[in-house]
Amino acid sequence: MNKRHAELLGTAEWAAFLHEEILSVVTQGADLGDDLLEIGPGPGAATEWLRHRVRRLVAVELEPEAAALLGARFAGTNVEAVAGDATALAYPDESFDTVGMFTMLHHVPTRARQDAILAGALRALRPGGTLIGSDSLASDRLHRFHEGDTYNPVEPAAFLTRLQTIGFGEITLMVGERLLFRARKPVAEA
Protein backbone atom coordinates (compact mmCIF):
# COMPACT_ATOMS: atom_id res chain seq x y z
CA MET A 1 0.00 0.00 0.00
CA ASN A 2 1.42 3.39 -0.89
CA LYS A 3 2.11 6.02 1.79
CA ARG A 4 -0.89 8.28 0.96
CA HIS A 5 -3.23 5.32 1.14
CA ALA A 6 -1.82 4.08 4.45
CA GLU A 7 -2.15 7.55 5.96
CA LEU A 8 -5.78 7.90 4.83
CA LEU A 9 -6.85 4.60 6.41
CA GLY A 10 -5.75 5.74 9.85
CA THR A 11 -7.73 8.99 9.88
CA ALA A 12 -10.86 9.81 11.84
CA GLU A 13 -12.41 10.98 8.55
CA TRP A 14 -11.92 7.53 6.97
CA ALA A 15 -13.40 5.83 10.04
CA ALA A 16 -16.43 8.15 9.99
CA PHE A 17 -16.92 7.48 6.28
CA LEU A 18 -16.79 3.71 6.82
CA HIS A 19 -19.16 3.86 9.78
CA GLU A 20 -21.73 6.19 8.22
CA GLU A 21 -21.60 5.43 4.49
CA ILE A 22 -20.65 1.74 4.39
CA LEU A 23 -21.24 -0.20 7.59
CA SER A 24 -24.53 1.38 8.61
CA VAL A 25 -25.91 0.67 5.13
CA VAL A 26 -24.58 -2.83 4.48
CA THR A 27 -25.57 -4.10 7.95
CA GLN A 28 -29.04 -2.55 7.98
CA GLY A 29 -31.52 -5.28 8.84
CA ALA A 30 -28.80 -7.96 8.98
CA ASP A 31 -28.33 -10.25 11.96
CA LEU A 32 -24.55 -10.38 12.42
CA GLY A 33 -24.80 -13.27 14.90
CA ASP A 34 -22.16 -13.89 17.55
CA ASP A 35 -19.02 -14.65 15.53
CA LEU A 36 -17.72 -12.36 12.79
CA LEU A 37 -14.66 -12.78 10.59
CA GLU A 38 -13.28 -9.58 9.08
CA ILE A 39 -10.91 -10.01 6.16
CA GLY A 40 -8.34 -7.31 5.43
CA PRO A 41 -9.08 -4.92 8.31
CA GLY A 42 -6.04 -2.69 7.83
CA PRO A 43 -5.78 -0.39 10.86
CA GLY A 44 -9.21 -1.44 12.13
CA ALA A 45 -11.64 1.36 11.33
CA ALA A 46 -14.42 -1.13 10.50
CA THR A 47 -13.26 -3.44 13.28
CA GLU A 48 -13.93 -0.76 15.87
CA TRP A 49 -17.52 -0.33 14.70
CA LEU A 50 -18.26 -4.03 14.21
CA ARG A 51 -16.81 -5.28 17.51
CA HIS A 52 -19.63 -3.62 19.44
CA ARG A 53 -22.21 -5.61 17.48
CA VAL A 54 -20.91 -9.18 17.92
CA ARG A 55 -19.62 -11.38 20.73
CA ARG A 56 -16.38 -12.32 18.94
CA LEU A 57 -14.57 -10.73 16.02
CA VAL A 58 -11.59 -12.35 14.29
CA ALA A 59 -9.66 -9.95 12.04
CA VAL A 60 -7.39 -11.62 9.46
CA GLU A 61 -4.74 -9.27 8.08
CA LEU A 62 -2.20 -10.30 5.43
CA GLU A 63 0.60 -8.03 6.67
CA PRO A 64 2.12 -9.33 9.95
CA GLU A 65 3.09 -5.81 11.09
CA ALA A 66 -0.46 -4.53 10.53
CA ALA A 67 -1.87 -7.57 12.37
CA ALA A 68 0.45 -6.89 15.32
CA LEU A 69 -0.64 -3.23 15.46
CA LEU A 70 -4.28 -4.30 15.27
CA GLY A 71 -3.72 -6.83 18.05
CA ALA A 72 -2.17 -4.15 20.25
CA ARG A 73 -4.99 -1.71 19.48
CA PHE A 74 -7.70 -4.19 20.46
CA ALA A 75 -5.89 -6.01 23.29
CA GLY A 76 -8.31 -6.97 26.04
CA THR A 77 -11.39 -6.70 23.82
CA ASN A 78 -13.47 -9.24 21.91
CA VAL A 79 -11.20 -8.83 18.86
CA GLU A 80 -8.59 -11.41 17.89
CA ALA A 81 -6.15 -10.05 15.29
CA VAL A 82 -4.44 -12.72 13.19
CA ALA A 83 -1.78 -12.51 10.51
CA GLY A 84 -2.90 -14.75 7.66
CA ASP A 85 -3.63 -15.18 4.00
CA ALA A 86 -7.36 -14.91 3.35
CA THR A 87 -7.03 -17.07 0.22
CA ALA A 88 -6.29 -19.99 2.57
CA LEU A 89 -8.25 -19.33 5.77
CA ALA A 90 -7.15 -21.54 8.65
CA TYR A 91 -10.61 -21.87 10.20
CA PRO A 92 -12.85 -24.93 10.13
CA ASP A 93 -15.90 -25.00 7.91
CA GLU A 94 -18.93 -23.17 9.31
CA SER A 95 -17.01 -21.22 11.99
CA PHE A 96 -18.63 -17.78 11.59
CA ASP A 97 -22.08 -16.21 11.40
CA THR A 98 -20.83 -13.27 9.33
CA VAL A 99 -17.83 -12.50 7.15
CA GLY A 100 -17.02 -8.88 6.32
CA MET A 101 -14.59 -7.29 3.88
CA PHE A 102 -14.55 -3.56 3.39
CA THR A 103 -12.77 -1.71 0.57
CA MET A 104 -10.09 -4.38 0.37
CA LEU A 105 -10.85 -6.56 -2.66
CA HIS A 106 -9.30 -4.04 -5.05
CA HIS A 107 -5.98 -4.62 -3.23
CA VAL A 108 -6.01 -8.29 -4.25
CA PRO A 109 -3.89 -8.57 -7.42
CA THR A 110 -5.91 -11.10 -9.42
CA ARG A 111 -9.52 -12.09 -9.91
CA ALA A 112 -8.58 -15.70 -9.08
CA ARG A 113 -7.22 -14.63 -5.67
CA GLN A 114 -10.30 -12.48 -5.06
CA ASP A 115 -12.48 -15.50 -5.85
CA ALA A 116 -10.38 -17.68 -3.51
CA ILE A 117 -11.06 -15.18 -0.70
CA LEU A 118 -14.79 -15.22 -1.48
CA ALA A 119 -14.84 -19.04 -1.63
CA GLY A 120 -13.03 -19.20 1.71
CA ALA A 121 -15.57 -16.81 3.17
CA LEU A 122 -18.39 -19.07 1.97
CA ARG A 123 -16.69 -22.13 3.46
CA ALA A 124 -16.14 -20.38 6.81
CA LEU A 125 -19.76 -19.21 7.06
CA ARG A 126 -22.37 -21.22 8.89
CA PRO A 127 -25.44 -22.14 6.80
CA GLY A 128 -27.61 -19.03 6.55
CA GLY A 129 -24.59 -16.85 7.42
CA THR A 130 -24.04 -13.52 5.73
CA LEU A 131 -21.22 -12.01 3.71
CA ILE A 132 -21.15 -8.21 3.97
CA GLY A 133 -18.78 -5.91 2.20
CA SER A 134 -17.87 -3.02 0.02
CA ASP A 135 -15.32 -2.02 -2.53
CA SER A 136 -14.28 0.95 -4.59
CA LEU A 137 -15.39 1.26 -8.19
CA ALA A 138 -12.89 1.83 -10.97
CA SER A 139 -12.08 5.46 -11.70
CA ASP A 140 -9.16 7.49 -13.01
CA ARG A 141 -8.95 9.31 -9.68
CA LEU A 142 -8.62 6.09 -7.69
CA HIS A 143 -6.19 4.67 -10.22
CA ARG A 144 -3.94 7.68 -9.66
CA PHE A 145 -4.42 7.46 -5.88
CA HIS A 146 -3.21 3.82 -6.00
CA GLU A 147 -0.04 4.65 -7.93
CA GLY A 148 2.65 2.21 -6.83
CA ASP A 149 -0.02 0.10 -5.13
CA THR A 150 -2.16 -2.86 -6.16
CA TYR A 151 -5.35 -1.65 -7.82
CA ASN A 152 -7.70 -4.31 -9.20
CA PRO A 153 -11.30 -3.10 -8.72
CA VAL A 154 -14.18 -5.52 -9.19
CA GLU A 155 -16.72 -5.01 -11.95
CA PRO A 156 -20.19 -4.96 -10.30
CA ALA A 157 -22.06 -6.74 -13.11
CA ALA A 158 -19.52 -9.57 -13.15
CA PHE A 159 -19.36 -9.65 -9.35
CA LEU A 160 -22.97 -10.84 -9.12
CA THR A 161 -22.17 -13.84 -11.33
CA ARG A 162 -18.95 -14.51 -9.44
CA LEU A 163 -20.80 -14.66 -6.11
CA GLN A 164 -23.46 -16.95 -7.59
CA THR A 165 -20.84 -19.25 -9.15
CA ILE A 166 -18.98 -19.52 -5.84
CA GLY A 167 -22.25 -20.58 -4.19
CA PHE A 168 -23.74 -17.54 -2.50
CA GLY A 169 -27.47 -16.84 -2.64
CA GLU A 170 -29.79 -13.97 -1.71
CA ILE A 171 -27.30 -11.53 -3.20
CA THR A 172 -27.83 -7.79 -2.92
CA LEU A 173 -25.54 -5.38 -4.75
CA MET A 174 -25.84 -1.63 -4.25
CA VAL A 175 -23.94 0.33 -6.85
CA GLY A 176 -23.53 4.08 -6.50
CA GLU A 177 -20.28 5.86 -5.82
CA ARG A 178 -19.01 2.51 -4.54
CA LEU A 179 -20.08 -1.14 -4.47
CA LEU A 180 -21.82 -2.44 -1.36
CA PHE A 181 -22.79 -6.09 -1.19
CA ARG A 182 -24.52 -8.64 0.96
CA ALA A 183 -25.01 -12.35 0.24
CA ARG A 184 -25.97 -15.44 2.20
CA LYS A 185 -24.70 -18.97 2.46
CA PRO A 186 -27.62 -21.21 1.55
CA VAL A 187 -29.09 -23.44 4.20
CA ALA A 188 -28.95 -27.10 3.13
CA GLU A 189 -32.36 -28.55 2.36
CA ALA A 190 -33.37 -31.45 4.64
Side-chain angles (χ1 to χ4, degrees), residues 70-84:
L70 200 64
R73 176 179 176 183
F74 292 106
T77 71
N78 63 334
V79 175
E80 176 188 355
V82 178

Side-chain angles (χ1 to χ4, degrees), residues 35 92-99 120-131 168 183-185:
D35 302 304
D93 295 359
E94 303 178 2
S95 296
F96 298 94
D97 299 302
T98 305
V99 175
L122 180 69
R123 183 189 60 75
L125 279 169
R126 294 181 178 117
T130 304
L131 171 70
F168 284 100
R184 294 188 53 135
K185 180 174 185 170

